[in-house]
Amino acid sequence: MRIAPRTVGLLLACAAGAAPFSLSPQPGVPPAGDLDPSPAAAARPDGPSLPAFKLTGDYRLKPEDRVEISVFGEEMTREIVVRPDGKISYLLVGEVDALGLTLDDLRKELERRLSEYIVNPRVTVIGTSFAGNFVSILGAVHTPGRKVVSKNDHVLDVISMAGGLRFEDITVAAGVGCSGQASTGAVLVDVDGDGDLDLLVNGLGAGTRLFLNDGQGKFLEKTDSGLVRDSGARSLALADIDGDGDIDLYIVNYRRTTARDGTQRVGITI
């Protein structure tokens, strides 16, 4: 029996599957390395809570970032969101173009403008949340969409933010449902040499069954493969048993009253 040496792994059921997902950075958003996370969290009154971070000095503001602006000695403390056009509105000075400014740049600009109304204004600008730093995760996750990230976040962290991977049982749809069968083992291997992984399945009272992969996510059982289907419950493994460089199929038949096993060579017809 010749089997192409392309084994992926051992299955304990007939089959399982999942759809892919993608993680893509948003245009115009620099790496999250500009952010230094802190334990604090800022709650948005108009939506879910977003993580708060401490900005490094070179971080530049983006739309949807939030800043808290206060003036020493004045009742002028406000939390402000950078608008989609990159501007903010503040008391007395009106609109200020904040897009691309550092917090220190914004502080200086506000002090310059406020000096027309207040003698020697001392402005403090604090970043509270930074929704402008995000990635989008799509596909087989529970809550796809945009996720706010910090410099310490990795791909697995973003998947966790999205509720983890979502799996769909496609066993029956793929043609390997093995209805009514108590499967004892399975292995994926390219039996017919077409580059697609085929499926060998053992089961109680079912012997060994071969399902050929059509390359499109569907499997068709090969009933005339030469594999024996009897009442014995079998386990199986792939190895180069005879040392000729080809992967062979090793099948073990175990019974209720003995621990003895044996091998049987068969020719699989494709």
Side-chain angles (χ1 to χ4, degrees), residues 11-17 169-172 174-178 183 186 188 199 201 219:
L11 303 179
L12 296 182
C14 281
D169 187 352
I170 61 169
T171 306
V172 175
V176 289
C178 302
S183 298
L188 290 167
L199 180 64
V201 182
F219 291 79

Side-chain angles (χ1 to χ4, degrees), residues 62-65 81-89 95:
K62 306 171 185 67
E64 297 190 41
D65 287 346
V81 180
V82 181
R83 302 196 311 245
D85 62 1
K87 298 180 183 298
I88 64 170
S89 296
E95 290 191 344

